[in-house]
Amino acid sequence: MSFQKICVLGLGYIGLPTAATFATHGLKVVGVDINPHVIETLRNGNIHIHEPGLRTVVEAALNSGNLTVSFEPEEADAFLIAVPTPFYEDQYGEYDGRKYRLADMRAVESAAAAILPHLRKGNLVILESTSPPRTTIDLLRPILERSGLKAGADFYLCYSPERVLPGQILRELIENARVVGGITPESAHAGCDLYATFVKGEILETDATTAEMVKLMENTTRDVNIAIANEFSRLAEKFGVDVWEAINLANRHPRINILSPGPGVGGHCISVDPWFFVETAPELTPLIYHARQVNDGQPHFVVEKVKQAIGPLNGKKIAALGLAYKPDVDDLRESPATEVVHLLQKEGAVVNVWEPFKPDARIKGVDMAPSLDSALKDADTILLLVRHTQFVGFHAAEIALKTKARIAIDCVNGLEIAQWGNAGFTVYRLGVNQLDSAA
Ligand code: SAJ
């Protein structure tokens, strides 16, 4: 099947790079978003998200005339849905005393409804948003069939998960293997043909529900693996072991790859997607549920660590370094660092946050410092929450000149102990018994 024109619904972290990449590979692309800020920003030639290389690709796509943006979809050969599927903030399910999150699928429903008037025989519709198993056949198909057309017979319908890593989206979009699940084999073939426009990795065909499950299995596996690393950090502290050294040694085993502990799991994927399994099968998912509990509990563990290091928090001035959900991105969504800041403040600490990737972020109840120097100036403690490359590259002696703080608490194994010790700091590290770690 060949494609001349597609509509991409949702111009966020996935939809925008995808739309721009299709456009720079010769397709006419209508990028659709309901958010006026997004449309205005793009129409002015700017982008609303930080992702390395994205600006160049979007500029090229817009300048070529292949990418246009709009509030509404229009007739096209294919429709690609890449809208958010968060969980509800205030609604929960419960099973056997376990309270679980519920997926908010309203954006997928509205995107599907917006496609309806433009859906024609022979079109292809692809859902990319991460979704609970069976969403494509049980939620999306019935909405699209309100058009009078039959999925699989009159139009092709697929689920194809995005698997790109924020920070490396543009490269991974092209190079990663792509799974395309069709509700019929013909649908999967059509989906493959579309992605073949730019995907250089393997394109693997399957059915829609398998493709949905593949995505959830990937992110759930990562969540569970991070949970065990976080649990190891707690055990190491109890036994007077340096968890970082222990992980390093364990990972020399040919079949072991333990991930890194930290202040918790953030972002809009790994901390969300496992709930889609729990919600749809709570009776089958105690492990997945408990892994989520461990990772969500990790900010509390960090606060306990801070208290062990500096005593009661009331009135303590803490410079928190990093607020992003992970290193070297500007994305603050579901960030465990934010949770740590809130918890510290609740106990009376005065926290000043320096986030170099988003210094002007506005987050309720969080005081953002305008510069590193201003965050450090009056601090009595430095708390490293995100392993941004520039933080790891700090010269401790230079930092010592900017602050009277002589205690540094490192949650991400980012500070070189000897160097910081030489500069006069006592360093406490997550996952290391504090008595042993004092430099
Ligand atoms: N984290 C740890 N320890 C680790 C690794 C990560 O605490 O060893 C934390 C990070 O700091 C962050 C969170 O986990 O808070 C998630 O970060 P991540 O880098 O693991 O994942 P994301 O959310 O940026 O991207 C993931 C990727 N999925 C997998 O690696 C299986 C990506 O490929 C997906 O496309 C993306 O989710 C998505 O959109 O679903």
Side-chain angles (χ1 to χ4, degrees):
M1 188 177 172
S2 75
F3 300 89
Q4 263 79 50
K5 179 178 171 189
I6 66 168
C7 276
V8 176
L9 290 93
L11 295 177
Y13 279 85
I14 301 304
L16 182 58
T18 305
T21 304
F22 272 118
T24 53
H25 285 74
L27 262 60
K28 289 277 175 212
V29 181
V30 183
V32 179
D33 206 290
I34 55 165
N35 184 338
H37 168 69
V38 171
I39 298 294
E40 250 168 59
T41 309
L42 289 166
R43 283 189 178 150
N44 291 331
N46 292 314
I47 53 174
H48 58 289
I49 44 187
H50 170 93
E51 174 64 29
L54 182 60
R55 177 174 292 274
T56 315
V57 180
V58 171
E59 260 169 21
L62 290 168
N63 291 341
S64 70
N66 275 356
L67 176 63
T68 52
V69 294
S70 169
F71 289 107
E72 293 284 342
E74 47 190 77
E75 271 192 37
D77 303 316
F79 298 89
L80 207 151
I81 302 174
V83 295
T85 48
F87 46 59
Y88 283 102
E89 283 305 328
D90 52 356
Q91 292 178 35
Y92 296 87
E94 196 167 334
Y95 175 83
D96 204 15
R98 302 198 291 262
K99 208 169 157 195
Y100 56 82
R101 298 283 200 168
L102 299 171
D104 176 354
M105 299 303 289
R106 286 175 297 181
V108 172
E109 289 167 5
S110 337
I115 293 171
L116 263 186
H118 311 286
L119 189 63
R120 300 286 174 264
K121 228 176 158 145
N123 280 172
L124 164 67
V125 180
I126 302 184
L127 176 63
E128 281 204 12
S129 312
T130 307
S131 302
R134 299 184 63 89
T135 294
T136 308
I137 51 176
D138 289 346
L139 181 83
L140 186 54
R141 179 170 64 182
I143 299 177
L144 295 172
E145 288 188 339
R146 282 197 238 137
S147 61
L149 298 172
K150 196 157 168 33
D154 298 321
F155 66 95
Y156 303 109
L157 179 58
C158 292
Y159 180 80
S160 180
E162 58 80 13
R163 305 157 104 189
V164 291
L165 195 70
Q168 302 183 28
I169 291 180
L170 290 155
R171 185 175 60 74
E172 291 207 354
L173 206 52
I174 290 172
E175 289 177 8
N176 285 2
R178 177 56 85 162
V179 175
V180 182
I183 65 154
T184 56
E186 295 72 28
S187 289
H189 296 331
C192 274
D193 289 345
L194 179 62
Y195 287 112
T197 309
F198 65 76
V199 171
K200 294 214 176 81
E202 273 183 286
I203 308 183
L204 306 155
E205 293 182 30
T206 184
D207 64 85
T209 308
T210 301
E212 290 165 347
M213 187 153 169
V214 165
K215 169 71 189 188
L216 297 179
M217 283 166 40
E218 291 166 0
N219 280 357
T220 301
T221 300
R222 197 154 168 84
D223 197 43
V224 172
N225 283 336
I226 298 169
I228 194 100
N230 282 334
E231 211 156 88
F232 288 153
S233 73
R234 303 175 190 185
L235 290 169
E237 291 205 8
K238 180 176 168 80
F239 300 130
V241 164
D242 176 337
V243 78
W244 306 96
E245 185 197 356
I247 289 175
N248 203 8
L249 294 174
N251 283 352
R252 303 292 272 274
H253 184 292
R255 284 173 297 283
I256 295 297
N257 181 21
I258 301 169
L259 297 178
S260 302
V265 169
H268 40 290
C269 308
I270 309 258
S271 63
V272 177
D273 301 355
W275 289 116
F276 295 171
F277 275 144
V278 177
E279 170 181 358
T280 45
E283 74 288 3
L284 300 176
T285 46
L287 173 67
I288 299 172
Y289 171 85
H290 285 293
R292 282 274 74 247
Q293 298 301 303
V294 170
N295 288 336
D296 279 352
Q298 196 69 356
H300 294 268
F301 182 64
V302 168
V303 171
E304 285 311 306
K305 178 91 200 164
V306 175
K307 285 202 285 199
Q308 279 169 20
I310 63 174
L313 297 178
N314 203 10
K316 294 278 163 55
K317 293 189 176 139
I318 300 176
L321 302 185
L323 203 61
Y325 85 91
K326 69 171 191 175
D328 299 332
V329 299
D330 77 337
D331 193 340
L332 311 183
R333 286 178 291 176
E334 312 288 333
S335 171
T338 309
E339 172 79 2
V340 170
V341 171
H342 285 313
L343 291 172
L344 293 170
Q345 286 172 332
K346 237 186 187 167
E347 302 219 12
V350 180
V351 187
N352 228 335
V353 181
W354 168 235
E355 174 44 73
F357 286 88
K358 221 169 203 169
D360 49 3
R362 276 196 224 120
I363 296 177
K364 209 169 156 222
V366 174
D367 285 328
M368 302 297 294
S371 65
L372 172 66
D373 288 17
S374 117
L376 292 175
K377 199 167 152 271
D378 296 321
D380 41 49
T381 303
I382 297 173
L383 176 64
L384 183 65
L385 290 171
V386 184
R387 205 172 191 279
H388 287 320
T389 307
Q390 56 177 280
F391 294 165
V392 178
F394 277 158
H395 292 290
E398 282 171 26
I399 299 291
L401 297 175
K402 298 175 191 286
T403 179
K404 61 180 172 31
R406 287 297 174 263
I407 291 178
I409 304 170
D410 178 359
C411 301
V412 290
N413 198 27
L415 306 182
E416 222 241 282
I417 305 295
Q419 195 202 127
W420 283 72
N422 288 340
F425 288 94
T426 301
V427 179
Y428 297 88
R429 288 186 296 154
L430 183 86
V432 183
N433 184 302
Q434 67 180 88
L435 296 176
D436 295 345
S437 70

